[in-house]
Every structure is written in C-alpha cells, then in structure tokens.
Amino acid sequence: MFPDRLRNLAMLILDDAEQARLKIATAESCTGGLVAALFTDIPGSSSVFERGFVTYSNKAKEEMLGVPGDVLADYGAVSEPVARMMAEGALANSRANIAVGITGVAGPGGGTKMKPVGLVHVACARENRAVVHEVLQLGDIGRSAIRMEALETALKLIQVQMR
C-alpha cells in the first residue's frame, strides 16, 4: 500500500522510538490518517504508536485537539498556527511524547489565491521542546501526490524531534 522508502522510514522511526521509550500520536487533516495507517501497517507498532486523530473538519480540530475557534477563523485551517496547535493538541490529548499535525489543501478543488492547492503545513511537537514546522508549496501535483509528500514530511519531522 505504501512505497518501500516510506515504509522503511516508518520502521526506522518505530525502532528508534521504541529504543528511546517514546510514544507517537498523529493529528491529521488533509492526509486523512495516512501517517497512522502507515505506522499501524507495521507489525509491533502498538508498542510505539499511541493514537491518531483524523480531524478533517474545523469542529473536530476544536473538539478533539483544542484548537481555538478564533485561531481557525483568524488564520484558517490551513496555516502554521493551526498545524502547531494540532500537534500540541495531540500531545495534550494522548499519552504520547511526540505528535505530528498536518493540515493542507490536497485538491483538486478548495484552493484559493492565498491558499492554493498543494499548500500543506506540517508541525511536530515533543514534550519540553519547541515545535518544529515545515510548509510545503507543492502546486497542483494531484491529490494523492500531495498527501504522500505530506506523509513523508511528517515522518521526517518526527525524526527531527527524536534526535
């Protein structure tokens, strides 16, 4: 289901997290649970993967992750502040030590001039550390490709926070 390079990266992350006794949670919007699906596709991942939140709607981001409605209204769901708050909310609402938040416009519709298709914000939080963030401006490369790029970026940010 997933390319070997992503599966291998996820296996490495899970092994490293297990060695460090870290738990991982995800908060996903445009990826719809792909990061969680990749982790749980790997046998033994339950020792590391704590839980996943698929918060596709703004209401879900508010209710499940504690993202304030005024932040969603002021910045929009596809923004750096929301991605950061999604990651922090996943930490706060789980027993994880590391959490990733992903929000973006996967297309083919839904983009605007300010937030075009292919814009994705990924943030990763770890207890007692600063949140790291990356913005992707992929263009309209196709819904599946955008989601897979977001998945790969999420994995890489988790690796950064594990160091």
Side-chain angles (χ1 to χ4, degrees):
M1 179 169 160
F2 295 97
D4 285 344
R5 66 185 170 78
L6 294 182
R7 187 174 169 79
N8 291 339
L9 180 54
M11 287 172 37
L12 180 63
I13 288 167
L14 292 172
D15 286 345
D16 289 348
E18 188 168 27
Q19 292 298 318
R21 297 182 183 207
L22 297 171
K23 300 280 187 187
I24 299 170
T26 60
E28 303 181 64
S29 187
C30 68
T31 49
L34 284 176
V35 180
L38 175 55
F39 282 144
T40 60
D41 196 45
I42 298 167
S45 61
S46 61
S47 65
V48 171
F49 183 68
E50 210 278 323
R51 71 183 72 182
F53 300 89
V54 177
T55 55
Y56 208 65
S57 71
N58 285 355
K59 202 58 157 167
K61 290 172 183 66
E62 287 181 66
E63 292 173 357
M64 297 172 71
L65 301 173
V67 177
D70 60 338
V71 172
L72 288 159
D74 291 347
Y75 296 96
V78 180
S79 64
E80 180 177 345
V82 170
R84 287 175 177 272
M85 288 182 172
M86 288 173 67
E88 291 169 336
L91 268 187
N93 291 288
S94 71
R95 293 191 167 109
N97 313 98
I98 297 175
V100 67
I102 307 164
T103 183
V105 184
T112 66
K113 188 172 185 173
M114 294 297 292
K115 296 185 180 186
V117 171
L119 175 65
V120 181
H121 289 273
V122 184
C124 190
R126 181 170 175 181
E127 291 176 324
N128 305 314
R129 289 199 187 171
V131 177
V132 294
H133 166 263
E134 190 166 330
V135 61
L136 304 175
Q137 296 178 342
L138 302 167
D140 194 354
I141 60 172
R143 186 173 183 84
S144 293
I146 290 167
R147 291 171 48 150
M148 290 307 248
E149 288 290 334
L151 165 60
E152 184 169 3
T153 299
L155 294 175
K156 289 177 178 176
L157 286 185
I158 291 168
Q159 267 192 319
V160 166
Q161 285 289 44
M162 289 178 53
R163 292 185 190 131

mmCIF file of all heavy atoms in Angstrom, residues 40-91:
data_model
loop_
_atom_site.group_PDB
_atom_site.id
_atom_site.type_symbol
_atom_site.label_atom_id
_atom_site.label_comp_id
_atom_site.label_asym_id
_atom_site.label_seq_id
_atom_site.Cartn_x
_atom_site.Cartn_y
_atom_site.Cartn_z
ATOM 1 N N THR A 40 0.574 1.759 11.616
ATOM 2 C CA THR A 40 -0.149 0.559 12.038
ATOM 3 C C THR A 40 -0.080 -0.569 11.018
ATOM 4 O O THR A 40 -0.491 -1.681 11.318
ATOM 5 C CB THR A 40 -1.622 0.883 12.378
ATOM 6 O OG1 THR A 40 -2.266 1.431 11.232
ATOM 7 C CG2 THR A 40 -1.702 1.855 13.543
ATOM 8 N N ASP A 41 0.463 -0.296 9.851
ATOM 9 C CA ASP A 41 0.693 -1.334 8.851
ATOM 10 C C ASP A 41 1.921 -2.176 9.211
ATOM 11 O O ASP A 41 2.145 -3.241 8.647
ATOM 12 C CB ASP A 41 0.880 -0.677 7.472
ATOM 13 C CG ASP A 41 0.731 -1.651 6.330
ATOM 14 O OD1 ASP A 41 -0.224 -2.453 6.344
ATOM 15 O OD2 ASP A 41 1.578 -1.618 5.409
ATOM 16 N N ILE A 42 2.692 -1.683 10.173
ATOM 17 C CA ILE A 42 3.937 -2.349 10.563
ATOM 18 C C ILE A 42 3.693 -3.164 11.835
ATOM 19 O O ILE A 42 3.266 -2.621 12.853
ATOM 20 C CB ILE A 42 5.052 -1.306 10.776
ATOM 21 C CG1 ILE A 42 5.314 -0.581 9.447
ATOM 22 C CG2 ILE A 42 6.320 -1.965 11.305
ATOM 23 C CD1 ILE A 42 6.154 0.663 9.571
ATOM 24 N N PRO A 43 3.935 -4.484 11.777
ATOM 25 C CA PRO A 43 3.732 -5.324 12.956
ATOM 26 C C PRO A 43 4.542 -4.823 14.150
ATOM 27 O O PRO A 43 5.693 -4.417 13.999
ATOM 28 C CB PRO A 43 4.213 -6.703 12.503
ATOM 29 C CG PRO A 43 4.107 -6.680 11.015
ATOM 30 C CD PRO A 43 4.399 -5.261 10.621
ATOM 31 N N GLY A 44 3.926 -4.830 15.317
ATOM 32 C CA GLY A 44 4.598 -4.409 16.534
ATOM 33 C C GLY A 44 4.529 -2.913 16.805
ATOM 34 O O GLY A 44 5.046 -2.449 17.823
ATOM 35 N N SER A 45 3.883 -2.159 15.919
ATOM 36 C CA SER A 45 3.837 -0.701 16.080
ATOM 37 C C SER A 45 3.067 -0.264 17.321
ATOM 38 O O SER A 45 3.243 0.858 17.803
ATOM 39 C CB SER A 45 3.229 -0.046 14.839
ATOM 40 O OG SER A 45 1.898 -0.487 14.639
ATOM 41 N N SER A 46 2.249 -1.142 17.875
ATOM 42 C CA SER A 46 1.448 -0.767 19.046
ATOM 43 C C SER A 46 2.314 -0.444 20.265
ATOM 44 O O SER A 46 1.849 0.224 21.184
ATOM 45 C CB SER A 46 0.451 -1.871 19.394
ATOM 46 O OG SER A 46 1.136 -3.059 19.717
ATOM 47 N N SER A 47 3.563 -0.858 20.247
ATOM 48 C CA SER A 47 4.443 -0.521 21.372
ATOM 49 C C SER A 47 4.886 0.943 21.323
ATOM 50 O O SER A 47 5.377 1.468 22.320
ATOM 51 C CB SER A 47 5.673 -1.430 21.385
ATOM 52 O OG SER A 47 6.456 -1.209 20.239
ATOM 53 N N VAL A 48 4.681 1.603 20.184
ATOM 54 C CA VAL A 48 5.120 2.987 19.995
ATOM 55 C C VAL A 48 3.976 3.904 19.578
ATOM 56 O O VAL A 48 3.837 5.009 20.091
ATOM 57 C CB VAL A 48 6.244 3.062 18.926
ATOM 58 C CG1 VAL A 48 6.555 4.491 18.546
ATOM 59 C CG2 VAL A 48 7.488 2.346 19.413
ATOM 60 N N PHE A 49 3.159 3.464 18.637
ATOM 61 C CA PHE A 49 2.091 4.334 18.132
ATOM 62 C C PHE A 49 0.961 4.361 19.143
ATOM 63 O O PHE A 49 0.318 3.353 19.403
ATOM 64 C CB PHE A 49 1.593 3.864 16.762
ATOM 65 C CG PHE A 49 0.555 4.790 16.189
ATOM 66 C CD1 PHE A 49 0.896 6.068 15.788
ATOM 67 C CD2 PHE A 49 -0.757 4.390 16.086
ATOM 68 C CE1 PHE A 49 -0.055 6.936 15.296
ATOM 69 C CE2 PHE A 49 -1.723 5.245 15.591
ATOM 70 C CZ PHE A 49 -1.372 6.527 15.189
ATOM 71 N N GLU A 50 0.710 5.538 19.724
ATOM 72 C CA GLU A 50 -0.241 5.670 20.823
ATOM 73 C C GLU A 50 -1.670 5.883 20.330
ATOM 74 O O GLU A 50 -2.581 5.219 20.771
ATOM 75 C CB GLU A 50 0.195 6.835 21.718
ATOM 76 C CG GLU A 50 -0.185 6.678 23.161
ATOM 77 C CD GLU A 50 -1.608 7.077 23.464
ATOM 78 O OE1 GLU A 50 -2.120 8.040 22.885
ATOM 79 O OE2 GLU A 50 -2.230 6.407 24.296
ATOM 80 N N ARG A 51 -1.864 6.829 19.416
ATOM 81 C CA ARG A 51 -3.191 7.068 18.834
ATOM 82 C C ARG A 51 -3.094 8.061 17.699
ATOM 83 O O ARG A 51 -2.114 8.776 17.561
ATOM 84 C CB ARG A 51 -4.191 7.554 19.873
ATOM 85 C CG ARG A 51 -3.954 8.956 20.368
ATOM 86 C CD ARG A 51 -4.927 9.370 21.447
ATOM 87 N NE ARG A 51 -4.596 8.664 22.680
ATOM 88 C CZ ARG A 51 -5.272 8.757 23.811
ATOM 89 N NH1 ARG A 51 -6.319 9.519 23.890
ATOM 90 N NH2 ARG A 51 -4.906 8.099 24.884
ATOM 91 N N GLY A 52 -4.170 8.081 16.901
ATOM 92 C CA GLY A 52 -4.261 9.025 15.799
ATOM 93 C C GLY A 52 -5.601 9.741 15.813
ATOM 94 O O GLY A 52 -6.630 9.137 16.108
ATOM 95 N N PHE A 53 -5.555 11.022 15.507
ATOM 96 C CA PHE A 53 -6.750 11.838 15.384
ATOM 97 C C PHE A 53 -6.900 12.230 13.918
ATOM 98 O O PHE A 53 -5.970 12.794 13.345
ATOM 99 C CB PHE A 53 -6.630 13.128 16.199
ATOM 100 C CG PHE A 53 -6.419 12.935 17.669
ATOM 101 C CD1 PHE A 53 -5.143 12.814 18.199
ATOM 102 C CD2 PHE A 53 -7.502 12.892 18.538
ATOM 103 C CE1 PHE A 53 -4.938 12.665 19.565
ATOM 104 C CE2 PHE A 53 -7.313 12.731 19.910
ATOM 105 C CZ PHE A 53 -6.026 12.616 20.420
ATOM 106 N N VAL A 54 -8.040 11.936 13.322
ATOM 107 C CA VAL A 54 -8.340 12.451 11.993
ATOM 108 C C VAL A 54 -9.344 13.574 12.205
ATOM 109 O O VAL A 54 -10.506 13.329 12.526
ATOM 110 C CB VAL A 54 -8.884 11.362 11.046
ATOM 111 C CG1 VAL A 54 -9.246 11.976 9.692
ATOM 112 C CG2 VAL A 54 -7.857 10.252 10.863
ATOM 113 N N THR A 55 -8.849 14.793 12.085
ATOM 114 C CA THR A 55 -9.658 15.976 12.371
ATOM 115 C C THR A 55 -9.835 16.763 11.071
ATOM 116 O O THR A 55 -9.197 17.792 10.869
ATOM 117 C CB THR A 55 -9.001 16.828 13.470
ATOM 118 O OG1 THR A 55 -7.664 17.141 13.076
ATOM 119 C CG2 THR A 55 -8.979 16.075 14.796
ATOM 120 N N TYR A 56 -10.702 16.253 10.236
ATOM 121 C CA TYR A 56 -10.883 16.821 8.905
ATOM 122 C C TYR A 56 -11.663 18.134 8.964
ATOM 123 O O TYR A 56 -11.362 19.061 8.236
ATOM 124 C CB TYR A 56 -11.598 15.788 8.024
ATOM 125 C CG TYR A 56 -11.286 15.915 6.558
ATOM 126 C CD1 TYR A 56 -9.999 15.692 6.080
ATOM 127 C CD2 TYR A 56 -12.280 16.245 5.648
ATOM 128 C CE1 TYR A 56 -9.703 15.798 4.741
ATOM 129 C CE2 TYR A 56 -11.996 16.353 4.305
ATOM 130 C CZ TYR A 56 -10.712 16.139 3.854
ATOM 131 O OH TYR A 56 -10.424 16.249 2.526
ATOM 132 N N SER A 57 -12.629 18.218 9.837
ATOM 133 C CA SER A 57 -13.428 19.450 9.941
ATOM 134 C C SER A 57 -12.834 20.389 10.992
ATOM 135 O O SER A 57 -12.099 19.960 11.897
ATOM 136 C CB SER A 57 -14.874 19.118 10.324
ATOM 137 O OG SER A 57 -14.936 18.684 11.667
ATOM 138 N N ASN A 58 -13.180 21.659 10.883
ATOM 139 C CA ASN A 58 -12.737 22.625 11.891
ATOM 140 C C ASN A 58 -13.288 22.270 13.261
ATOM 141 O O ASN A 58 -12.600 22.405 14.272
ATOM 142 C CB ASN A 58 -13.163 24.044 11.502
ATOM 143 C CG ASN A 58 -12.302 24.608 10.384
ATOM 144 O OD1 ASN A 58 -11.329 23.991 9.964
ATOM 145 N ND2 ASN A 58 -12.668 25.769 9.902
ATOM 146 N N LYS A 59 -14.540 21.820 13.302
ATOM 147 C CA LYS A 59 -15.165 21.446 14.569
ATOM 148 C C LYS A 59 -14.386 20.314 15.232
ATOM 149 O O LYS A 59 -14.191 20.316 16.450
ATOM 150 C CB LYS A 59 -16.625 21.038 14.332
ATOM 151 C CG LYS A 59 -17.478 21.149 15.554
ATOM 152 C CD LYS A 59 -17.450 22.567 16.062
ATOM 153 C CE LYS A 59 -18.633 22.913 16.899
ATOM 154 N NZ LYS A 59 -18.409 24.169 17.621
ATOM 155 N N ALA A 60 -13.941 19.351 14.456
ATOM 156 C CA ALA A 60 -13.142 18.248 15.006
ATOM 157 C C ALA A 60 -11.817 18.764 15.560
ATOM 158 O O ALA A 60 -11.359 18.306 16.613
ATOM 159 C CB ALA A 60 -12.891 17.182 13.945
ATOM 160 N N LYS A 61 -11.201 19.719 14.868
ATOM 161 C CA LYS A 61 -9.958 20.303 15.372
ATOM 162 C C LYS A 61 -10.193 20.980 16.718
ATOM 163 O O LYS A 61 -9.363 20.891 17.617
ATOM 164 C CB LYS A 61 -9.389 21.302 14.358
ATOM 165 C CG LYS A 61 -8.837 20.657 13.090
ATOM 166 C CD LYS A 61 -8.468 21.719 12.058
ATOM 167 C CE LYS A 61 -7.984 21.126 10.759
ATOM 168 N NZ LYS A 61 -8.996 20.375 10.006
ATOM 169 N N GLU A 62 -11.326 21.656 16.850
ATOM 170 C CA GLU A 62 -11.675 22.310 18.113
ATOM 171 C C GLU A 62 -11.963 21.284 19.203
ATOM 172 O O GLU A 62 -11.389 21.348 20.298
ATOM 173 C CB GLU A 62 -12.920 23.183 17.940
ATOM 174 C CG GLU A 62 -12.695 24.456 17.155
ATOM 175 C CD GLU A 62 -13.971 25.269 17.060
ATOM 176 O OE1 GLU A 62 -14.438 25.755 18.106
ATOM 177 O OE2 GLU A 62 -14.510 25.408 15.946
ATOM 178 N N GLU A 63 -12.860 20.344 18.915
ATOM 179 C CA GLU A 63 -13.336 19.407 19.931
ATOM 180 C C GLU A 63 -12.293 18.368 20.348
ATOM 181 O O GLU A 63 -12.167 18.056 21.528
ATOM 182 C CB GLU A 63 -14.594 18.685 19.430
ATOM 183 C CG GLU A 63 -15.797 19.589 19.283
ATOM 184 C CD GLU A 63 -16.985 18.914 18.640
ATOM 185 O OE1 GLU A 63 -16.883 17.728 18.228
ATOM 186 O OE2 GLU A 63 -18.029 19.570 18.537
ATOM 187 N N MET A 64 -11.554 17.832 19.399
ATOM 188 C CA MET A 64 -10.635 16.741 19.704
ATOM 189 C C MET A 64 -9.232 17.206 20.083
ATOM 190 O O MET A 64 -8.535 16.529 20.837
ATOM 191 C CB MET A 64 -10.555 15.772 18.527
ATOM 192 C CG MET A 64 -11.884 15.083 18.227
ATOM 193 S SD MET A 64 -11.852 14.116 16.701
ATOM 194 C CE MET A 64 -10.820 12.762 17.192
ATOM 195 N N LEU A 65 -8.831 18.361 19.543
ATOM 196 C CA LEU A 65 -7.450 18.810 19.747
ATOM 197 C C LEU A 65 -7.351 20.124 20.509
ATOM 198 O O LEU A 65 -6.255 20.549 20.861
ATOM 199 C CB LEU A 65 -6.744 18.964 18.392
ATOM 200 C CG LEU A 65 -6.678 17.703 17.529
ATOM 201 C CD1 LEU A 65 -6.128 18.028 16.157
ATOM 202 C CD2 LEU A 65 -5.854 16.615 18.211
ATOM 203 N N GLY A 66 -8.484 20.781 20.718
ATOM 204 C CA GLY A 66 -8.465 22.036 21.457
ATOM 205 C C GLY A 66 -7.979 23.232 20.671
ATOM 206 O O GLY A 66 -7.570 24.241 21.265
ATOM 207 N N VAL A 67 -8.010 23.160 19.344
ATOM 208 C CA VAL A 67 -7.629 24.321 18.538
ATOM 209 C C VAL A 67 -8.740 25.365 18.704
ATOM 210 O O VAL A 67 -9.901 25.076 18.406
ATOM 211 C CB VAL A 67 -7.443 23.952 17.048
ATOM 212 C CG1 VAL A 67 -7.110 25.189 16.227
ATOM 213 C CG2 VAL A 67 -6.365 22.886 16.884
ATOM 214 N N PRO A 68 -8.414 26.562 19.181
ATOM 215 C CA PRO A 68 -9.457 27.568 19.405
ATOM 216 C C PRO A 68 -10.145 28.004 18.115
ATOM 217 O O PRO A 68 -9.490 28.182 17.081
ATOM 218 C CB PRO A 68 -8.693 28.741 20.030
ATOM 219 C CG PRO A 68 -7.430 28.159 20.564
ATOM 220 C CD PRO A 68 -7.099 27.017 19.638
ATOM 221 N N GLY A 69 -11.449 28.182 18.202
ATOM 222 C CA GLY A 69 -12.226 28.612 17.044
ATOM 223 C C GLY A 69 -11.765 29.942 16.488
ATOM 224 O O GLY A 69 -11.773 30.149 15.274
ATOM 225 N N ASP A 70 -11.309 30.856 17.361
ATOM 226 C CA ASP A 70 -10.860 32.158 16.860
ATOM 227 C C ASP A 70 -9.560 32.032 16.070
ATOM 228 O O ASP A 70 -9.326 32.784 15.123
ATOM 229 C CB ASP A 70 -10.744 33.187 17.984
ATOM 230 C CG ASP A 70 -9.763 32.799 19.081
ATOM 231 O OD1 ASP A 70 -9.465 31.604 19.235
ATOM 232 O OD2 ASP A 70 -9.299 33.711 19.800
ATOM 233 N N VAL A 71 -8.711 31.071 16.416
ATOM 234 C CA VAL A 71 -7.487 30.840 15.639
ATOM 235 C C VAL A 71 -7.852 30.290 14.261
ATOM 236 O O VAL A 71 -7.306 30.731 13.248
ATOM 237 C CB VAL A 71 -6.522 29.886 16.379
ATOM 238 C CG1 VAL A 71 -5.343 29.498 15.499
ATOM 239 C CG2 VAL A 71 -6.026 30.527 17.669
ATOM 240 N N LEU A 72 -8.788 29.357 14.230
ATOM 241 C CA LEU A 72 -9.257 28.831 12.945
ATOM 242 C C LEU A 72 -9.875 29.942 12.100
ATOM 243 O O LEU A 72 -9.643 30.014 10.888
ATOM 244 C CB LEU A 72 -10.260 27.700 13.173
ATOM 245 C CG LEU A 72 -9.650 26.397 13.694
ATOM 246 C CD1 LEU A 72 -10.708 25.528 14.358
ATOM 247 C CD2 LEU A 72 -8.952 25.655 12.571
ATOM 248 N N ALA A 73 -10.658 30.815 12.721
ATOM 249 C CA ALA A 73 -11.299 31.916 11.988
ATOM 250 C C ALA A 73 -10.269 32.940 11.506
ATOM 251 O O ALA A 73 -10.354 33.425 10.373
ATOM 252 C CB ALA A 73 -12.342 32.592 12.882
ATOM 253 N N ASP A 74 -9.300 33.258 12.340
ATOM 254 C CA ASP A 74 -8.316 34.293 12.000
ATOM 255 C C ASP A 74 -7.298 33.831 10.965
ATOM 256 O O ASP A 74 -6.931 34.588 10.069
ATOM 257 C CB ASP A 74 -7.565 34.763 13.248
ATOM 258 C CG ASP A 74 -8.440 35.554 14.211
ATOM 259 O OD1 ASP A 74 -9.564 35.957 13.824
ATOM 260 O OD2 ASP A 74 -8.006 35.762 15.359
ATOM 261 N N TYR A 75 -6.821 32.606 11.088
ATOM 262 C CA TYR A 75 -5.741 32.122 10.220
ATOM 263 C C TYR A 75 -6.201 31.126 9.163
ATOM 264 O O TYR A 75 -5.495 30.899 8.188
ATOM 265 C CB TYR A 75 -4.630 31.471 11.054
ATOM 266 C CG TYR A 75 -3.939 32.429 11.972
ATOM 267 C CD1 TYR A 75 -4.318 32.543 13.306
ATOM 268 C CD2 TYR A 75 -2.908 33.244 11.523
ATOM 269 C CE1 TYR A 75 -3.692 33.429 14.166
ATOM 270 C CE2 TYR A 75 -2.266 34.140 12.372
ATOM 271 C CZ TYR A 75 -2.670 34.229 13.690
ATOM 272 O OH TYR A 75 -2.047 35.111 14.533
ATOM 273 N N GLY A 76 -7.343 30.483 9.393
ATOM 274 C CA GLY A 76 -7.807 29.421 8.514
ATOM 275 C C GLY A 76 -7.218 28.096 8.943
ATOM 276 O O GLY A 76 -6.165 28.044 9.591
ATOM 277 N N ALA A 77 -7.904 27.029 8.583
ATOM 278 C CA ALA A 77 -7.456 25.691 8.980
ATOM 279 C C ALA A 77 -6.097 25.350 8.395
ATOM 280 O O ALA A 77 -5.301 24.643 9.015
ATOM 281 C CB ALA A 77 -8.489 24.650 8.559
ATOM 282 N N VAL A 78 -5.812 25.842 7.200
ATOM 283 C CA VAL A 78 -4.535 25.555 6.546
ATOM 284 C C VAL A 78 -3.583 26.706 6.866
ATOM 285 O O VAL A 78 -3.505 27.695 6.140
ATOM 286 C CB VAL A 78 -4.715 25.367 5.023
ATOM 287 C CG1 VAL A 78 -3.375 25.060 4.369
ATOM 288 C CG2 VAL A 78 -5.710 24.242 4.756
ATOM 289 N N SER A 79 -2.901 26.560 7.994
ATOM 290 C CA SER A 79 -1.995 27.615 8.450
ATOM 291 C C SER A 79 -0.979 27.034 9.424
ATOM 292 O O SER A 79 -1.198 25.980 10.022
ATOM 293 C CB SER A 79 -2.791 28.729 9.134
ATOM 294 O OG SER A 79 -3.415 28.244 10.305
ATOM 295 N N GLU A 80 0.104 27.763 9.600
ATOM 296 C CA GLU A 80 1.123 27.336 10.550
ATOM 297 C C GLU A 80 0.596 27.283 11.982
ATOM 298 O O GLU A 80 0.821 26.284 12.680
ATOM 299 C CB GLU A 80 2.345 28.250 10.472
ATOM 300 C CG GLU A 80 3.438 27.863 11.446
ATOM 301 C CD GLU A 80 4.684 28.709 11.334
ATOM 302 O OE1 GLU A 80 4.855 29.436 10.333
ATOM 303 O OE2 GLU A 80 5.515 28.632 12.269
ATOM 304 N N PRO A 81 -0.122 28.330 12.455
ATOM 305 C CA PRO A 81 -0.613 28.243 13.832
ATOM 306 C C PRO A 81 -1.513 27.036 14.077
ATOM 307 O O PRO A 81 -1.429 26.401 15.136
ATOM 308 C CB PRO A 81 -1.384 29.554 14.031
ATOM 309 C CG PRO A 81 -0.839 30.488 13.009
ATOM 310 C CD PRO A 81 -0.432 29.632 11.850
ATOM 311 N N VAL A 82 -2.358 26.699 13.120
ATOM 312 C CA VAL A 82 -3.259 25.558 13.300
ATOM 313 C C VAL A 82 -2.478 24.249 13.288
ATOM 314 O O VAL A 82 -2.724 23.375 14.121
ATOM 315 C CB VAL A 82 -4.400 25.572 12.267
ATOM 316 C CG1 VAL A 82 -5.187 24.272 12.295
ATOM 317 C CG2 VAL A 82 -5.323 26.765 12.523
ATOM 318 N N ALA A 83 -1.511 24.104 12.396
ATOM 319 C CA ALA A 83 -0.700 22.879 12.371
ATOM 320 C C ALA A 83 0.027 22.697 13.706
ATOM 321 O O ALA A 83 0.066 21.599 14.265
ATOM 322 C CB ALA A 83 0.296 22.916 11.221
ATOM 323 N N ARG A 84 0.584 23.785 14.222
ATOM 324 C CA ARG A 84 1.286 23.724 15.500
ATOM 325 C C ARG A 84 0.319 23.333 16.628
ATOM 326 O O ARG A 84 0.645 22.496 17.469
ATOM 327 C CB ARG A 84 1.938 25.074 15.817
ATOM 328 C CG ARG A 84 3.154 25.367 14.966
ATOM 329 C CD ARG A 84 3.696 26.781 15.239
ATOM 330 N NE ARG A 84 4.896 27.036 14.480
ATOM 331 C CZ ARG A 84 6.134 26.735 14.885
ATOM 332 N NH1 ARG A 84 6.315 26.162 16.061
ATOM 333 N NH2 ARG A 84 7.174 26.996 14.132
ATOM 334 N N MET A 85 -0.856 23.947 16.628
ATOM 335 C CA MET A 85 -1.833 23.649 17.684
ATOM 336 C C MET A 85 -2.396 22.239 17.553
ATOM 337 O O MET A 85 -2.729 21.617 18.561
ATOM 338 C CB MET A 85 -2.946 24.686 17.670
ATOM 339 C CG MET A 85 -2.492 26.013 18.182
ATOM 340 S SD MET A 85 -3.852 27.193 18.194
ATOM 341 C CE MET A 85 -3.076 28.543 19.050
ATOM 342 N N MET A 86 -2.483 21.734 16.336
ATOM 343 C CA MET A 86 -2.909 20.344 16.153
ATOM 344 C C MET A 86 -1.894 19.393 16.783
ATOM 345 O O MET A 86 -2.273 18.461 17.495
ATOM 346 C CB MET A 86 -3.090 20.030 14.664
ATOM 347 C CG MET A 86 -4.309 20.668 14.037
ATOM 348 S SD MET A 86 -4.382 20.432 12.236
ATOM 349 C CE MET A 86 -4.632 18.644 12.129
ATOM 350 N N ALA A 87 -0.610 19.642 16.528
ATOM 351 C CA ALA A 87 0.434 18.783 17.105
ATOM 352 C C ALA A 87 0.421 18.880 18.626
ATOM 353 O O ALA A 87 0.472 17.864 19.335
ATOM 354 C CB ALA A 87 1.798 19.166 16.540
ATOM 355 N N GLU A 88 0.328 20.098 19.148
ATOM 356 C CA GLU A 88 0.291 20.285 20.600
ATOM 357 C C GLU A 88 -0.970 19.675 21.209
ATOM 358 O O GLU A 88 -0.918 19.090 22.295
ATOM 359 C CB GLU A 88 0.366 21.779 20.926
ATOM 360 C CG GLU A 88 1.717 22.381 20.601
ATOM 361 C CD GLU A 88 1.740 23.905 20.669
ATOM 362 O OE1 GLU A 88 0.683 24.548 20.522
ATOM 363 O OE2 GLU A 88 2.843 24.445 20.863
ATOM 364 N N GLY A 89 -2.094 19.797 20.501
ATOM 365 C CA GLY A 89 -3.338 19.212 20.981
ATOM 366 C C GLY A 89 -3.293 17.695 21.014
ATOM 367 O O GLY A 89 -3.851 17.068 21.919
ATOM 368 N N ALA A 90 -2.622 17.096 20.034
ATOM 369 C CA ALA A 90 -2.477 15.637 20.026
ATOM 370 C C ALA A 90 -1.624 15.183 21.207
ATOM 371 O O ALA A 90 -1.897 14.151 21.817
ATOM 372 C CB ALA A 90 -1.878 15.166 18.703
ATOM 373 N N LEU A 91 -0.598 15.960 21.541
ATOM 374 C CA LEU A 91 0.207 15.642 22.729
ATOM 375 C C LEU A 91 -0.636 15.742 23.995
ATOM 376 O O LEU A 91 -0.609 14.854 24.841
ATOM 377 C CB LEU A 91 1.383 16.615 22.865
ATOM 378 C CG LEU A 91 2.715 16.272 22.249
ATOM 379 C CD1 LEU A 91 3.762 17.296 22.667
ATOM 380 C CD2 LEU A 91 3.176 14.879 22.565
#
